[in-house]
Amino acid sequence: CAAALVGPGAERAATPRGCWAFLDSGALGWERYLRFRWEFEEMYKAHGRASQGDAAVLAAIEDCRNLHALPPPPLRRPPQQLGPQAVLELPIADVRFAHNDQSERFGGFRGAENRSVLTTAVELVSGQTAIEALPRFDVCWHDGAWYCRTGNRRLAAMRLAQDFAPDRLALVCPRPVPVDEIFTHGRPGKAPKLTTHWNGDSCRGQWIVIRETGEVVGSRARGRGAYGADLLSLLPC
């Protein structure tokens, strides 16, 4: 509960219920909590779970003015021994694209008929479709970050929707899988799954190009427009 004392609404923290008020903002509040927990765990690793570690954590709480004070936890290494049934919860913006480009049209899973990246983003922003209703996609840990092993279009729809509804669309629960040769090097006659470097060395999965329009989803690439932004900006969020 100590972390709640430094956030907005700290005056409500006098009661046991009030000290958890920072979670009222839904997924974004949960993400802030995860950021604090990660920070404190790192301090305990550095100082030990004794008086010295407690002192470091208490000093950090005293120094923080609100729950935005801490940056997102850097994913320096993957959790150990994660299997396909593991529950991995990540900020949507921290998951990177593996493909350099992608068609906007979905295919390959039930319910994908007549679905596109843009229509899915519209449904997410409007609340017609919950993010949990989309099939889980796979991610793998590569070069210091989580990359899509499958589901680049689903991630594109989530990233696009998050730009217009960040308070409701903050986290995703993908399925962790190991990196394999097909992902990094491909197979005879087939390109690897990881082609983001075709967008240039600076891309590193931070954006993906929509083939039909040449526009991008994700971090803005120089000289390219934002896919679907004109339509989504008209929606009430």
Side-chain angles (χ1 to χ4, degrees), residues 68-181:
H68 294 282
L70 294 175
L75 297 169
R76 294 193 180 96
R77 58 175 65 89
Q80 298 300 312
Q81 299 178 338
L82 280 177
Q85 302 305 316
V87 177
L88 182 65
E89 193 171 53
L90 299 172
I92 293 172
D94 283 358
V95 184
R96 302 199 179 192
F97 299 103
H99 295 172
N100 62 301
D101 65 5
Q102 189 76 61
S103 170
E104 64 180 350
R105 306 300 304 180
F106 275 98
F109 64 85
R110 181 174 295 180
E113 302 84 1
N114 301 317
R115 183 180 287 273
S116 71
V117 169
L118 184 55
T119 58
T120 303
V122 169
E123 291 174 5
L124 290 170
V125 172
S126 66
Q128 182 180 348
T129 296
I131 196 169
E132 297 82 7
L134 298 180
R136 287 178 75 189
F137 58 88
D138 297 342
V139 295
C140 58
W141 183 259
H142 174 72
D143 197 22
W146 290 103
Y147 280 84
C148 274
R149 180 59 175 78
T150 62
N152 284 269
R153 270 181 290 251
R154 274 164 279 174
L155 177 61
M158 293 174 190
R159 289 286 299 270
L160 185 57
Q162 186 188 36
D163 286 343
F164 294 88
D167 287 349
R168 292 189 291 106
L169 300 166
L171 302 173
V172 63
C173 296
R175 185 170 39 241
V177 298
V179 172
D180 56 19
E181 285 292 312

